[in-house]
Amino acid sequence: MRVNGVSYRTVWMEDGAVKMIDQRLLPFRFEVGSLRTHQETAEAIRNMTVRGAGAIGVAAGYAMAQAALAAPESGFNGAMNQAAALISGTRPTARNLFYAVERVLEEVEAASGVSAKRMAASATAQAIADEDAAAGERIGEVGQSLFGDSTTVLTHCNAGWLAFADWGTALAPVYRAHRDGKHVRVFATETRPRGQGAKLTAWELSQEGVPHTLIPDAASGHLLRQGQVNVILVGADRIAANGDVANKIGTYTLALLAKAHRVPFYVAAPTTTIDLNCPSGDRIPIEERADEEVLWTTGITEDGQITRVRTTPEGTRACNWAFDVTPAALITGLITARGIIKAEPKAIHAIMRL
Ligand code: MRU
């Protein structure tokens, strides 16, 4: 997608280095980081330089490729297993991370000879990135069929192109419709505590010229009660086999509000987010992050310094679950690159076979 008119992917690989837009600095500064080793790339996933299910999956695939390029000939398999464990241990909830690590490892194991294994790792990592971008683009086409000539969307967190290699999921139909000349405007929730809506979604929508308005998370109920929203679109970090969805904390509340106000509630995701081995949302590991993310916040001063400030009394403690689970029964449909389906086991298994 475009940043100041130039096309970028969120994460890519160049001469053995993994390049990524440093999302910790947005919207204040646009910088591209360069990670030389799989350990550095794993750390960038852990510290949220790159974040969002698809983007961390792509970064994880590239990290595995870096590990394969650097692994010694003797002890190659052991080094790859170690790298897989390191990368898999960075964040627990997004299925795409594990999908990428497992897929690269399988391809490496299937190739014979170390140089073929190195090539298989790089080719697979690149395929994961390309497929992620293509899935986002297709989700845009599929999802925009829900829009009339003039549509108001409410979204939560950032499920735009920053959260994937390109295009995104929940925002992909918005970008498609906007580029096709339909009137679409977006209400974006701030998304406490990390502010992915305020910092990332608002920035992305500005770059694409999509009309948008930021609301505090707590304003969603009031907004829906006023009847101002046609459709709610969110992303997913993991979809269980029964259709339950783990997504950014606050999604469940929004789904309950949507039901109360009879507003369609769609989850957009690539099939790489679906975990058929996970029977229901109760089994999805929910990441708990440091309470300082709730107690402190980061912003920019009038003289341009990016600064962290405490917004709470000293000594107060906080809970910081990064995700929650929305039961399948509250979801109107899943928007995938293979069509819009019900959040039900039969439909989910059927699209995974396509
Ligand atoms: O904790 P993050 O920023 O990595 O959150 C993941 C997400 O981007 C959201 O939950 C999003 O809505 C899912 S779509 C990738």
Side-chain angles (χ1 to χ4, degrees):
M1 302 299 266
R2 293 185 291 251
V3 182
N4 303 326
V6 179
S7 277
Y8 282 90
R9 278 199 178 176
T10 308
V11 191
W12 66 99
M13 199 163 169
E14 221 174 270
D15 301 329
V18 175
K19 308 270 185 174
M20 55 178 67
I21 296 172
D22 191 335
Q23 300 193 32
R24 297 168 305 174
L25 302 176
L26 289 172
F28 313 119
R29 278 212 303 265
F30 180 78
E31 275 181 24
V32 173
S34 183
L35 297 321
R36 304 269 358 148
T37 65
H38 78 271
Q39 290 93 340
E40 286 178 14
T41 305
E43 176 54 22
I45 298 172
R46 200 199 55 74
N47 70 24
M48 292 178 71
T49 303
V50 61
R51 34 64 53 207
I56 65 177
V58 171
Y62 284 140
M64 288 292 285
Q66 287 180 307
L69 293 173
E73 272 194 43
S74 68
F76 183 90
N77 292 341
M80 287 307 291
N81 287 330
Q82 252 184 356
L86 177 80
I87 298 159
S88 301
T90 52
R91 297 195 67 191
T93 304
R95 168 64 195 150
N96 306 59
L97 175 91
F98 303 95
Y99 167 83
V101 170
E102 287 160 17
R103 185 167 158 195
V104 175
L105 212 48
E106 273 165 27
E107 294 297 329
V108 163
E109 279 164 9
S112 51
V114 166
S115 81
K117 286 177 186 292
R118 295 196 212 282
M119 273 167 29
S122 294
T124 308
Q126 192 52 47
I128 290 168
D130 294 343
E131 288 165 20
D132 186 82
E137 185 167 9
R138 183 73 195 125
I139 285 169
E141 285 155 15
V142 170
Q144 70 132 353
S145 65
L146 298 169
F147 295 3
D149 285 340
S150 178
T151 306
T152 301
V153 174
L154 171 61
T155 193
H156 182 54
C157 190
N158 172 257
W161 67 270
L162 284 166
F164 291 84
D166 206 347
W167 282 94
T169 52
L171 293 186
V174 169
Y175 294 136
R176 181 72 280 151
H178 180 72
R179 288 186 183 187
D180 290 351
K182 288 186 180 173
H183 291 286
V184 55
R185 70 175 181 139
V186 176
F187 283 103
T189 57
E190 280 181 306
T191 321
R192 287 273 300 144
R194 289 288 295 224
Q196 288 94 332
K199 291 178 171 163
L200 305 176
T201 298
W203 181 77
E204 272 195 47
L205 292 169
S206 306
Q207 293 298 319
E208 282 286 318
V210 177
H212 61 280
T213 308
L214 196 62
I215 58 165
D217 298 335
S220 303
H222 181 68
L223 181 72
L224 293 180
R225 193 155 187 263
Q226 288 177 330
Q228 286 202 45
V229 173
N230 301 114
V231 62
I232 299 177
L233 297 179
V234 297
D237 292 275
R238 193 184 296 226
I239 301 175
N242 71 341
D244 292 349
V245 167
N247 191 50
K248 184 53 60 193
I249 192 82
T251 304
Y252 175 42
T253 317
L254 213 49
L256 286 168
L257 286 169
K259 191 174 174 67
H261 294 284
R262 296 193 177 83
V263 174
F265 181 92
Y266 285 92
V267 174
T271 50
T272 46
T273 304
I274 296 173
D275 185 357
L276 292 182
N277 292 321
C278 183
S280 77
D282 295 341
R283 301 280 289 275
I284 299 176
I286 299 296
E287 179 176 9
E288 289 189 47
R289 298 184 58 83
D291 68 351
E292 60 175 44
E293 290 184 349
V294 180
L295 304 171
W296 293 68
T297 198
T298 302
I300 193 160
T301 59
E302 280 181 18
D303 60 353
Q305 304 297 317
I306 297 177
T307 296
R308 199 170 153 265
V309 292
R310 182 158 50 77
T311 57
T312 50
E314 217 171 332
T316 293
R317 300 266 59 99
C319 289
N320 189 11
W321 299 282
F323 304 98
D324 60 22
V325 171
T326 299
L330 295 176
I331 298 168
T332 311
L334 302 175
I335 305 171
T336 77
R338 300 173 191 174
I340 300 177
I341 60 164
K342 287 206 173 316
E344 288 175 357
K346 216 169 126 193
I348 290 173
H349 278 90
I351 60 151
M352 293 303 270
R353 283 194 295 270
L354 288 178

